[in-house]
Amino acid sequence: MRIATFNINGVKARIDTLLGWLSASRPDVALLQEIKSVDEAFPRGAIEDLGYRVETHGQKGFNGVAILSRLPLTDVLRGLPGGEGDEHARWIEATVTGTRPVRVAGLYLPNGNPAPGPKFDYKLSWMERMRMRAAALLATEDPVVMAGDYNVIPQAEDAARPEAWVTDALYRPESRAAFRRILHLGYTDAFRARVPGPGHYSFWDYQAGAWERNNGIRIDHLLLSPQAADLLADTGIERALRGQEKPSDHVPVWVELDA
DNA sequence: ATGGTGGGCTACCCA
């Protein structure tokens, strides 16, 4: 079972890119972020025509997440638990069954800039809520994959120019510590577990020629529970998509599980 | 140090 995460930065603006990627790459499961669409306006028909089941958790104008799956999809949960009054559409879960069931969560973690400030406070409180949910998922002892745009640069080697990010909410010590607190529950950063060293990025800003200069950061992650990590067969970043026509500022990151 | 780009949407917000 191959599971990919892709922040598409607007499903309507990116529909040709999305359909082209799904057709060429054929992930079994695709977790999308920043669909920037309400559920009723999501272009599900064209995606279903490619053989995918579609579950969305959208809102008007920004945020929004979705799960696309060629495999049976059950027990969908929309919204990160524990957020009284939080209307942001940033979390969706479902169980995907290949040769065995895998609990999959797609997430769009708050950006948090400017920091400090209320947006940074929201990011950190959202991460604490995520930690609680991550602990509850671990307790099931099922294979769990939590994948998406984490808006966290875990280590200096995950940025081409780490010195440019020191005051940014994506790299501040509080954000990285909160990310580590989730990892330390028992999750594995799938890409980093298999590919050591610098130079591996999933996001390049549209501005200032970031792509042409390879001024990237690695902020799209797939975290695996121990039961999922035991099934990990391969991982990769589809960086070539960033150089294609009308790209998202993110590219897909994927894992192959023996499941 | 500043400004640079892009999506959603109609006055600016978000990244």
Side-chain angles (χ1 to χ4, degrees), chain A residues 9 13-14 61 108 111 119 206-207 246:
Chain A
N9 189 21
R14 213 75 60 207
Y108 177 47
N111 175 292
K119 290 189 176 181
Y206 288 122
Q207 304 182 75
K246 214 166 185 281

PDB file of all heavy atoms in Angstrom, chain A residues 9 13-14 61 108 111 119 206-207 246, chain B residues 3-10 14-15:
ATOM      1  N   ASN A   9      -2.390  23.307  -2.476  1.00  0.00           N
ATOM      2  CA  ASN A   9      -2.570  24.761  -2.550  1.00  0.00           C
ATOM      3  C   ASN A   9      -3.716  25.150  -3.481  1.00  0.00           C
ATOM      4  O   ASN A   9      -3.525  25.910  -4.433  1.00  0.00           O
ATOM      5  CB  ASN A   9      -1.259  25.443  -2.969  1.00  0.00           C
ATOM      6  CG  ASN A   9      -1.339  26.954  -2.848  1.00  0.00           C
ATOM      7  OD1 ASN A   9      -2.176  27.493  -2.126  1.00  0.00           O
ATOM      8  ND2 ASN A   9      -0.479  27.652  -3.570  1.00  0.00           N
ATOM      9  N   ALA A  13      -7.638  25.425  -8.554  1.00  0.00           N
ATOM     10  CA  ALA A  13      -6.524  25.945  -9.349  1.00  0.00           C
ATOM     11  C   ALA A  13      -5.574  24.833  -9.785  1.00  0.00           C
ATOM     12  O   ALA A  13      -4.820  24.998 -10.743  1.00  0.00           O
ATOM     13  CB  ALA A  13      -5.755  26.996  -8.555  1.00  0.00           C
ATOM     14  N   ARG A  14      -5.612  23.694  -9.052  1.00  0.00           N
ATOM     15  CA  ARG A  14      -4.607  22.654  -9.256  1.00  0.00           C
ATOM     16  C   ARG A  14      -5.210  21.365  -9.788  1.00  0.00           C
ATOM     17  O   ARG A  14      -4.553  20.326  -9.765  1.00  0.00           O
ATOM     18  CB  ARG A  14      -3.927  22.348  -7.899  1.00  0.00           C
ATOM     19  CG  ARG A  14      -2.452  21.965  -7.979  1.00  0.00           C
ATOM     20  CD  ARG A  14      -1.538  23.088  -8.249  1.00  0.00           C
ATOM     21  NE  ARG A  14      -1.621  24.104  -7.228  1.00  0.00           N
ATOM     22  CZ  ARG A  14      -1.352  25.378  -7.448  1.00  0.00           C
ATOM     23  NH1 ARG A  14      -0.956  25.790  -8.634  1.00  0.00           N
ATOM     24  NH2 ARG A  14      -1.472  26.258  -6.479  1.00  0.00           N
ATOM     25  N   GLY A  61     -12.647  29.042   1.409  1.00  0.00           N
ATOM     26  CA  GLY A  61     -11.536  29.965   1.202  1.00  0.00           C
ATOM     27  C   GLY A  61     -10.147  29.485   1.564  1.00  0.00           C
ATOM     28  O   GLY A  61      -9.204  29.771   0.830  1.00  0.00           O
ATOM     29  N   TYR A 108      -3.265  19.208   8.312  1.00  0.00           N
ATOM     30  CA  TYR A 108      -2.685  20.483   7.880  1.00  0.00           C
ATOM     31  C   TYR A 108      -2.436  21.306   9.139  1.00  0.00           C
ATOM     32  O   TYR A 108      -3.328  21.970   9.646  1.00  0.00           O
ATOM     33  CB  TYR A 108      -3.626  21.199   6.909  1.00  0.00           C
ATOM     34  CG  TYR A 108      -3.134  22.559   6.481  1.00  0.00           C
ATOM     35  CD1 TYR A 108      -1.814  22.744   6.073  1.00  0.00           C
ATOM     36  CD2 TYR A 108      -3.985  23.661   6.469  1.00  0.00           C
ATOM     37  CE1 TYR A 108      -1.356  23.994   5.684  1.00  0.00           C
ATOM     38  CE2 TYR A 108      -3.542  24.911   6.079  1.00  0.00           C
ATOM     39  CZ  TYR A 108      -2.232  25.063   5.692  1.00  0.00           C
ATOM     40  OH  TYR A 108      -1.791  26.307   5.315  1.00  0.00           O
ATOM     41  N   ASN A 111       0.288  27.156  10.370  1.00  0.00           N
ATOM     42  CA  ASN A 111       1.572  27.777  10.025  1.00  0.00           C
ATOM     43  C   ASN A 111       2.186  28.476  11.247  1.00  0.00           C
ATOM     44  O   ASN A 111       3.363  28.302  11.536  1.00  0.00           O
ATOM     45  CB  ASN A 111       1.334  28.764   8.866  1.00  0.00           C
ATOM     46  CG  ASN A 111       2.564  29.554   8.501  1.00  0.00           C
ATOM     47  OD1 ASN A 111       3.035  30.383   9.272  1.00  0.00           O
ATOM     48  ND2 ASN A 111       3.112  29.279   7.333  1.00  0.00           N
ATOM     49  N   LYS A 119      -1.455  33.601  16.526  1.00  0.00           N
ATOM     50  CA  LYS A 119      -1.375  32.500  15.557  1.00  0.00           C
ATOM     51  C   LYS A 119      -0.349  31.451  15.990  1.00  0.00           C
ATOM     52  O   LYS A 119      -0.540  30.257  15.766  1.00  0.00           O
ATOM     53  CB  LYS A 119      -1.028  33.037  14.171  1.00  0.00           C
ATOM     54  CG  LYS A 119      -2.162  33.824  13.543  1.00  0.00           C
ATOM     55  CD  LYS A 119      -1.871  34.143  12.107  1.00  0.00           C
ATOM     56  CE  LYS A 119      -3.053  34.853  11.465  1.00  0.00           C
ATOM     57  NZ  LYS A 119      -2.767  35.150  10.046  1.00  0.00           N
ATOM     58  N   TYR A 206       7.213  30.247  -3.565  1.00  0.00           N
ATOM     59  CA  TYR A 206       7.032  30.806  -4.907  1.00  0.00           C
ATOM     60  C   TYR A 206       7.934  32.025  -5.131  1.00  0.00           C
ATOM     61  O   TYR A 206       8.191  32.406  -6.273  1.00  0.00           O
ATOM     62  CB  TYR A 206       5.579  31.247  -5.112  1.00  0.00           C
ATOM     63  CG  TYR A 206       4.565  30.133  -5.264  1.00  0.00           C
ATOM     64  CD1 TYR A 206       3.485  30.026  -4.406  1.00  0.00           C
ATOM     65  CD2 TYR A 206       4.667  29.207  -6.302  1.00  0.00           C
ATOM     66  CE1 TYR A 206       2.534  29.036  -4.555  1.00  0.00           C
ATOM     67  CE2 TYR A 206       3.717  28.205  -6.458  1.00  0.00           C
ATOM     68  CZ  TYR A 206       2.650  28.121  -5.577  1.00  0.00           C
ATOM     69  OH  TYR A 206       1.711  27.133  -5.738  1.00  0.00           O
ATOM     70  N   GLN A 207       8.353  32.650  -4.025  1.00  0.00           N
ATOM     71  CA  GLN A 207       9.026  33.945  -4.130  1.00  0.00           C
ATOM     72  C   GLN A 207      10.543  33.794  -4.223  1.00  0.00           C
ATOM     73  O   GLN A 207      11.126  32.818  -3.757  1.00  0.00           O
ATOM     74  CB  GLN A 207       8.693  34.788  -2.896  1.00  0.00           C
ATOM     75  CG  GLN A 207       7.203  34.977  -2.685  1.00  0.00           C
ATOM     76  CD  GLN A 207       6.903  35.843  -1.489  1.00  0.00           C
ATOM     77  OE1 GLN A 207       7.063  37.051  -1.536  1.00  0.00           O
ATOM     78  NE2 GLN A 207       6.486  35.225  -0.405  1.00  0.00           N
ATOM     79  N   LYS A 246       2.531  25.265 -13.543  1.00  0.00           N
ATOM     80  CA  LYS A 246       1.561  25.647 -12.507  1.00  0.00           C
ATOM     81  C   LYS A 246       1.664  24.748 -11.268  1.00  0.00           C
ATOM     82  O   LYS A 246       0.671  24.125 -10.849  1.00  0.00           O
ATOM     83  CB  LYS A 246       0.139  25.616 -13.077  1.00  0.00           C
ATOM     84  CG  LYS A 246      -0.787  26.666 -12.491  1.00  0.00           C
ATOM     85  CD  LYS A 246      -2.053  26.813 -13.338  1.00  0.00           C
ATOM     86  CE  LYS A 246      -2.928  27.942 -12.811  1.00  0.00           C
ATOM     87  NZ  LYS A 246      -3.713  27.576 -11.632  1.00  0.00           N
TER      88      LYS A 246
ATOM     89  P    DG B   3       9.641  47.067   0.549  1.00  0.00           P
ATOM     90  OP1  DG B   3       9.243  48.370  -0.017  1.00  0.00           O
ATOM     91  OP2  DG B   3       8.899  46.466   1.673  1.00  0.00           O
ATOM     92  O5'  DG B   3       9.714  46.032  -0.652  1.00  0.00           O
ATOM     93  C5'  DG B   3      10.797  46.090  -1.589  1.00  0.00           C
ATOM     94  C4'  DG B   3      10.793  44.853  -2.435  1.00  0.00           C
ATOM     95  O4'  DG B   3      11.292  43.728  -1.665  1.00  0.00           O
ATOM     96  C3'  DG B   3       9.421  44.424  -2.937  1.00  0.00           C
ATOM     97  O3'  DG B   3       9.591  43.877  -4.238  1.00  0.00           O
ATOM     98  C2'  DG B   3       8.994  43.362  -1.933  1.00  0.00           C
ATOM     99  C1'  DG B   3      10.322  42.695  -1.637  1.00  0.00           C
ATOM    100  N9   DG B   3      10.434  42.073  -0.323  1.00  0.00           N
ATOM    101  C8   DG B   3       9.729  42.360   0.822  1.00  0.00           C
ATOM    102  N7   DG B   3      10.094  41.635   1.851  1.00  0.00           N
ATOM    103  C5   DG B   3      11.099  40.821   1.356  1.00  0.00           C
ATOM    104  C6   DG B   3      11.890  39.818   1.990  1.00  0.00           C
ATOM    105  O6   DG B   3      11.847  39.463   3.157  1.00  0.00           O
ATOM    106  N1   DG B   3      12.784  39.241   1.101  1.00  0.00           N
ATOM    107  C2   DG B   3      12.922  39.569  -0.209  1.00  0.00           C
ATOM    108  N2   DG B   3      13.835  38.905  -0.903  1.00  0.00           N
ATOM    109  N3   DG B   3      12.201  40.501  -0.817  1.00  0.00           N
ATOM    110  C4   DG B   3      11.314  41.079   0.020  1.00  0.00           C
ATOM    111  P    DG B   4       8.329  43.766  -5.256  1.00  0.00           P
ATOM    112  OP1  DG B   4       8.631  44.674  -6.354  1.00  0.00           O
ATOM    113  OP2  DG B   4       7.058  43.899  -4.503  1.00  0.00           O
ATOM    114  O5'  DG B   4       8.423  42.289  -5.809  1.00  0.00           O
ATOM    115  C5'  DG B   4       9.653  41.802  -6.334  1.00  0.00           C
ATOM    116  C4'  DG B   4       9.811  40.344  -5.978  1.00  0.00           C
ATOM    117  O4'  DG B   4      10.108  40.216  -4.577  1.00  0.00           O
ATOM    118  C3'  DG B   4       8.549  39.506  -6.196  1.00  0.00           C
ATOM    119  O3'  DG B   4       8.537  38.994  -7.520  1.00  0.00           O
ATOM    120  C2'  DG B   4       8.719  38.383  -5.174  1.00  0.00           C
ATOM    121  C1'  DG B   4       9.489  39.059  -4.038  1.00  0.00           C
ATOM    122  N9   DG B   4       8.634  39.498  -2.936  1.00  0.00           N
ATOM    123  C8   DG B   4       7.538  40.319  -2.987  1.00  0.00           C
ATOM    124  N7   DG B   4       7.007  40.549  -1.828  1.00  0.00           N
ATOM    125  C5   DG B   4       7.791  39.825  -0.950  1.00  0.00           C
ATOM    126  C6   DG B   4       7.703  39.674   0.466  1.00  0.00           C
ATOM    127  O6   DG B   4       6.882  40.181   1.226  1.00  0.00           O
ATOM    128  N1   DG B   4       8.705  38.849   0.955  1.00  0.00           N
ATOM    129  C2   DG B   4       9.672  38.248   0.193  1.00  0.00           C
ATOM    130  N2   DG B   4      10.562  37.485   0.844  1.00  0.00           N
ATOM    131  N3   DG B   4       9.769  38.373  -1.117  1.00  0.00           N
ATOM    132  C4   DG B   4       8.802  39.177  -1.621  1.00  0.00           C
ATOM    133  P    DT B   5       7.089  38.795  -8.238  1.00  0.00           P
ATOM    134  OP1  DT B   5       7.382  38.523  -9.646  1.00  0.00           O
ATOM    135  OP2  DT B   5       6.180  39.895  -7.827  1.00  0.00           O
ATOM    136  O5'  DT B   5       6.535  37.452  -7.575  1.00  0.00           O
ATOM    137  C5'  DT B   5       7.316  36.270  -7.618  1.00  0.00           C
ATOM    138  C4'  DT B   5       6.434  35.109  -7.250  1.00  0.00           C
ATOM    139  O4'  DT B   5       6.006  35.243  -5.871  1.00  0.00           O
ATOM    140  C3'  DT B   5       5.151  35.004  -8.076  1.00  0.00           C
ATOM    141  O3'  DT B   5       4.942  33.639  -8.420  1.00  0.00           O
ATOM    142  C2'  DT B   5       4.069  35.533  -7.155  1.00  0.00           C
ATOM    143  C1'  DT B   5       4.600  35.108  -5.791  1.00  0.00           C
ATOM    144  N1   DT B   5       4.138  35.940  -4.654  1.00  0.00           N
ATOM    145  C2   DT B   5       3.634  35.323  -3.540  1.00  0.00           C
ATOM    146  O2   DT B   5       3.529  34.115  -3.446  1.00  0.00           O
ATOM    147  N3   DT B   5       3.238  36.168  -2.535  1.00  0.00           N
ATOM    148  C4   DT B   5       3.306  37.552  -2.532  1.00  0.00           C
ATOM    149  O4   DT B   5       2.919  38.186  -1.581  1.00  0.00           O
ATOM    150  C5   DT B   5       3.861  38.140  -3.735  1.00  0.00           C
ATOM    151  C7   DT B   5       3.974  39.622  -3.835  1.00  0.00           C
ATOM    152  C6   DT B   5       4.242  37.320  -4.718  1.00  0.00           C
ATOM    153  P    DG B   6       3.879  33.250  -9.596  1.00  0.00           P
ATOM    154  OP1  DG B   6       4.457  32.075 -10.278  1.00  0.00           O
ATOM    155  OP2  DG B   6       3.485  34.450 -10.343  1.00  0.00           O
ATOM    156  O5'  DG B   6       2.610  32.762  -8.788  1.00  0.00           O
ATOM    157  C5'  DG B   6       2.708  31.571  -8.012  1.00  0.00           C
ATOM    158  C4'  DG B   6       1.516  31.487  -7.110  1.00  0.00           C
ATOM    159  O4'  DG B   6       1.588  32.516  -6.107  1.00  0.00           O
ATOM    160  C3'  DG B   6       0.156  31.699  -7.783  1.00  0.00           C
ATOM    161  O3'  DG B   6      -0.503  30.450  -7.824  1.00  0.00           O
ATOM    162  C2'  DG B   6      -0.569  32.701  -6.884  1.00  0.00           C
ATOM    163  C1'  DG B   6       0.279  32.697  -5.628  1.00  0.00           C
ATOM    164  N9   DG B   6       0.216  33.922  -4.843  1.00  0.00           N
ATOM    165  C8   DG B   6       0.559  35.187  -5.227  1.00  0.00           C
ATOM    166  N7   DG B   6       0.368  36.082  -4.289  1.00  0.00           N
ATOM    167  C5   DG B   6      -0.134  35.354  -3.218  1.00  0.00           C
ATOM    168  C6   DG B   6      -0.531  35.756  -1.927  1.00  0.00           C
ATOM    169  O6   DG B   6      -0.526  36.895  -1.448  1.00  0.00           O
ATOM    170  N1   DG B   6      -0.993  34.695  -1.162  1.00  0.00           N
ATOM    171  C2   DG B   6      -1.048  33.387  -1.606  1.00  0.00           C
ATOM    172  N2   DG B   6      -1.517  32.480  -0.750  1.00  0.00           N
ATOM    173  N3   DG B   6      -0.679  32.987  -2.801  1.00  0.00           N
ATOM    174  C4   DG B   6      -0.234  34.012  -3.556  1.00  0.00           C
ATOM    175  P    DG B   7      -1.995  30.321  -8.502  1.00  0.00           P
ATOM    176  OP1  DG B   7      -2.029  28.998  -9.146  1.00  0.00           O
ATOM    177  OP2  DG B   7      -2.315  31.541  -9.250  1.00  0.00           O
ATOM    178  O5'  DG B   7      -2.945  30.277  -7.233  1.00  0.00           O
ATOM    179  C5'  DG B   7      -2.813  29.198  -6.316  1.00  0.00           C
ATOM    180  C4'  DG B   7      -3.937  29.266  -5.308  1.00  0.00           C
ATOM    181  O4'  DG B   7      -3.684  30.368  -4.400  1.00  0.00           O
ATOM    182  C3'  DG B   7      -5.315  29.531  -5.923  1.00  0.00           C
ATOM    183  O3'  DG B   7      -6.247  28.642  -5.345  1.00  0.00           O
ATOM    184  C2'  DG B   7      -5.605  30.975  -5.586  1.00  0.00           C
ATOM    185  C1'  DG B   7      -4.831  31.182  -4.289  1.00  0.00           C
ATOM    186  N9   DG B   7      -4.395  32.555  -4.100  1.00  0.00           N
ATOM    187  C8   DG B   7      -3.768  33.370  -5.013  1.00  0.00           C
ATOM    188  N7   DG B   7      -3.509  34.558  -4.540  1.00  0.00           N
ATOM    189  C5   DG B   7      -3.994  34.522  -3.248  1.00  0.00           C
ATOM    190  C6   DG B   7      -4.011  35.531  -2.246  1.00  0.00           C
ATOM    191  O6   DG B   7      -3.574  36.680  -2.322  1.00  0.00           O
ATOM    192  N1   DG B   7      -4.599  35.083  -1.071  1.00  0.00           N
ATOM    193  C2   DG B   7      -5.118  33.818  -0.881  1.00  0.00           C
ATOM    194  N2   DG B   7      -5.655  33.564   0.313  1.00  0.00           N
ATOM    195  N3   DG B   7      -5.117  32.878  -1.806  1.00  0.00           N
ATOM    196  C4   DG B   7      -4.542  33.291  -2.956  1.00  0.00           C
ATOM    197  P    DG B   8      -7.814  28.686  -5.878  1.00  0.00           P
ATOM    198  OP1  DG B   8      -8.349  27.318  -5.756  1.00  0.00           O
ATOM    199  OP2  DG B   8      -7.873  29.409  -7.154  1.00  0.00           O
ATOM    200  O5'  DG B   8      -8.522  29.592  -4.776  1.00  0.00           O
ATOM    201  C5'  DG B   8      -8.468  29.206  -3.408  1.00  0.00           C
ATOM    202  C4'  DG B   8      -9.235  30.203  -2.570  1.00  0.00           C
ATOM    203  O4'  DG B   8      -8.459  31.427  -2.458  1.00  0.00           O
ATOM    204  C3'  DG B   8     -10.586  30.609  -3.165  1.00  0.00           C
ATOM    205  O3'  DG B   8     -11.554  30.662  -2.137  1.00  0.00           O
ATOM    206  C2'  DG B   8     -10.309  31.979  -3.757  1.00  0.00           C
ATOM    207  C1'  DG B   8      -9.289  32.524  -2.774  1.00  0.00           C
ATOM    208  N9   DG B   8      -8.470  33.601  -3.301  1.00  0.00           N
ATOM    209  C8   DG B   8      -7.860  33.659  -4.533  1.00  0.00           C
ATOM    210  N7   DG B   8      -7.198  34.770  -4.730  1.00  0.00           N
ATOM    211  C5   DG B   8      -7.382  35.483  -3.550  1.00  0.00           C
ATOM    212  C6   DG B   8      -6.917  36.767  -3.168  1.00  0.00           C
ATOM    213  O6   DG B   8      -6.216  37.542  -3.812  1.00  0.00           O
ATOM    214  N1   DG B   8      -7.342  37.111  -1.889  1.00  0.00           N
ATOM    215  C2   DG B   8      -8.117  36.325  -1.078  1.00  0.00           C
ATOM    216  N2   DG B   8      -8.430  36.813   0.115  1.00  0.00           N
ATOM    217  N3   DG B   8      -8.564  35.125  -1.422  1.00  0.00           N
ATOM    218  C4   DG B   8      -8.159  34.772  -2.665  1.00  0.00           C
ATOM    219  P    DC B   9     -13.118  30.831  -2.506  1.00  0.00           P
ATOM    220  OP1  DC B   9     -13.895  30.215  -1.416  1.00  0.00           O
ATOM    221  OP2  DC B   9     -13.309  30.385  -3.896  1.00  0.00           O
ATOM    222  O5'  DC B   9     -13.364  32.413  -2.465  1.00  0.00           O
ATOM    223  C5'  DC B   9     -12.967  33.133  -1.304  1.00  0.00           C
ATOM    224  C4'  DC B   9     -12.928  34.631  -1.603  1.00  0.00           C
ATOM    225  O4'  DC B   9     -11.869  34.926  -2.534  1.00  0.00           O
ATOM    226  C3'  DC B   9     -14.210  35.195  -2.231  1.00  0.00           C
ATOM    227  O3'  DC B   9     -14.545  36.370  -1.526  1.00  0.00           O
ATOM    228  C2'  DC B   9     -13.799  35.521  -3.675  1.00  0.00           C
ATOM    229  C1'  DC B   9     -12.337  35.868  -3.483  1.00  0.00           C
ATOM    230  N1   DC B   9     -11.490  35.738  -4.699  1.00  0.00           N
ATOM    231  C2   DC B   9     -10.489  36.694  -4.928  1.00  0.00           C
ATOM    232  O2   DC B   9     -10.340  37.610  -4.119  1.00  0.00           O
ATOM    233  N3   DC B   9      -9.724  36.582  -6.043  1.00  0.00           N
ATOM    234  C4   DC B   9      -9.913  35.574  -6.891  1.00  0.00           C
ATOM    235  N4   DC B   9      -9.124  35.509  -7.963  1.00  0.00           N
ATOM    236  C5   DC B   9     -10.908  34.596  -6.673  1.00  0.00           C
ATOM    237  C6   DC B   9     -11.678  34.707  -5.571  1.00  0.00           C
ATOM    238  P    DT B  10     -16.072  36.921  -1.565  1.00  0.00           P
ATOM    239  OP1  DT B  10     -16.614  36.788  -0.196  1.00  0.00           O
ATOM    240  OP2  DT B  10     -16.774  36.297  -2.715  1.00  0.00           O
ATOM    241  O5'  DT B  10     -15.867  38.479  -1.887  1.00  0.00           O
ATOM    242  C5'  DT B  10     -15.126  39.286  -0.998  1.00  0.00           C
ATOM    243  C4'  DT B  10     -14.774  40.616  -1.666  1.00  0.00           C
ATOM    244  O4'  DT B  10     -13.881  40.367  -2.765  1.00  0.00           O
ATOM    245  C3'  DT B  10     -15.974  41.376  -2.238  1.00  0.00           C
ATOM    246  O3'  DT B  10     -15.870  42.752  -1.912  1.00  0.00           O
ATOM    247  C2'  DT B  10     -15.856  41.172  -3.741  1.00  0.00           C
ATOM    248  C1'  DT B  10     -14.362  41.004  -3.938  1.00  0.00           C
ATOM    249  N1   DT B  10     -13.978  40.147  -5.105  1.00  0.00           N
ATOM    250  C2   DT B  10     -12.831  40.456  -5.793  1.00  0.00           C
ATOM    251  O2   DT B  10     -12.136  41.404  -5.508  1.00  0.00           O
ATOM    252  N3   DT B  10     -12.557  39.613  -6.850  1.00  0.00           N
ATOM    253  C4   DT B  10     -13.283  38.505  -7.258  1.00  0.00           C
ATOM    254  O4   DT B  10     -12.936  37.842  -8.212  1.00  0.00           O
ATOM    255  C5   DT B  10     -14.456  38.239  -6.473  1.00  0.00           C
ATOM    256  C7   DT B  10     -15.306  37.071  -6.836  1.00  0.00           C
ATOM    257  C6   DT B  10     -14.747  39.067  -5.454  1.00  0.00           C
ATOM    258  P    DC B  14      -5.977  35.732   8.368  1.00  0.00           P
ATOM    259  OP1  DC B  14      -6.780  35.005   9.351  1.00  0.00           O
ATOM    260  OP2  DC B  14      -4.980  36.749   8.784  1.00  0.00           O
ATOM    261  O5'  DC B  14      -5.188  34.686   7.469  1.00  0.00           O
ATOM    262  C5'  DC B  14      -5.881  33.620   6.843  1.00  0.00           C
ATOM    263  C4'  DC B  14      -4.930  32.908   5.911  1.00  0.00           C
ATOM    264  O4'  DC B  14      -4.686  33.746   4.761  1.00  0.00           O
ATOM    265  C3'  DC B  14      -3.562  32.643   6.535  1.00  0.00           C
ATOM    266  O3'  DC B  14      -3.403  31.256   6.773  1.00  0.00           O
ATOM    267  C2'  DC B  14      -2.549  33.148   5.504  1.00  0.00           C
ATOM    268  C1'  DC B  14      -3.409  33.415   4.273  1.00  0.00           C
ATOM    269  N1   DC B  14      -2.897  34.537   3.480  1.00  0.00           N
ATOM    270  C2   DC B  14      -2.518  34.298   2.156  1.00  0.00           C
ATOM    271  O2   DC B  14      -2.640  33.162   1.685  1.00  0.00           O
ATOM    272  N3   DC B  14      -2.016  35.322   1.420  1.00  0.00           N
ATOM    273  C4   DC B  14      -1.904  36.531   1.971  1.00  0.00           C
ATOM    274  N4   DC B  14      -1.410  37.508   1.198  1.00  0.00           N
ATOM    275  C5   DC B  14      -2.280  36.796   3.307  1.00  0.00           C
ATOM    276  C6   DC B  14      -2.772  35.777   4.027  1.00  0.00           C
ATOM    277  P    DA B  15      -2.149  30.733   7.602  1.00  0.00           P
ATOM    278  OP1  DA B  15      -2.523  29.449   8.186  1.00  0.00           O
ATOM    279  OP2  DA B  15      -1.648  31.823   8.452  1.00  0.00           O
ATOM    280  O5'  DA B  15      -1.076  30.498   6.456  1.00  0.00           O
ATOM    281  C5'  DA B  15      -1.332  29.550   5.426  1.00  0.00           C
ATOM    282  C4'  DA B  15      -0.280  29.679   4.347  1.00  0.00           C
ATOM    283  O4'  DA B  15      -0.391  30.955   3.698  1.00  0.00           O
ATOM    284  C3'  DA B  15       1.148  29.584   4.848  1.00  0.00           C
ATOM    285  O3'  DA B  15       1.783  28.449   4.307  1.00  0.00           O
ATOM    286  C2'  DA B  15       1.824  30.841   4.344  1.00  0.00           C
ATOM    287  C1'  DA B  15       0.899  31.290   3.237  1.00  0.00           C
ATOM    288  N9   DA B  15       0.984  32.727   2.987  1.00  0.00           N
ATOM    289  C8   DA B  15       0.731  33.753   3.855  1.00  0.00           C
ATOM    290  N7   DA B  15       0.928  34.938   3.334  1.00  0.00           N
ATOM    291  C5   DA B  15       1.346  34.661   2.034  1.00  0.00           C
ATOM    292  C6   DA B  15       1.716  35.483   0.964  1.00  0.00           C
ATOM    293  N6   DA B  15       1.736  36.824   1.031  1.00  0.00           N
ATOM    294  N1   DA B  15       2.072  34.884  -0.216  1.00  0.00           N
ATOM    295  C2   DA B  15       2.062  33.552  -0.261  1.00  0.00           C
ATOM    296  N3   DA B  15       1.730  32.676   0.673  1.00  0.00           N
ATOM    297  C4   DA B  15       1.375  33.304   1.811  1.00  0.00           C
TER     298       DA B  15
END
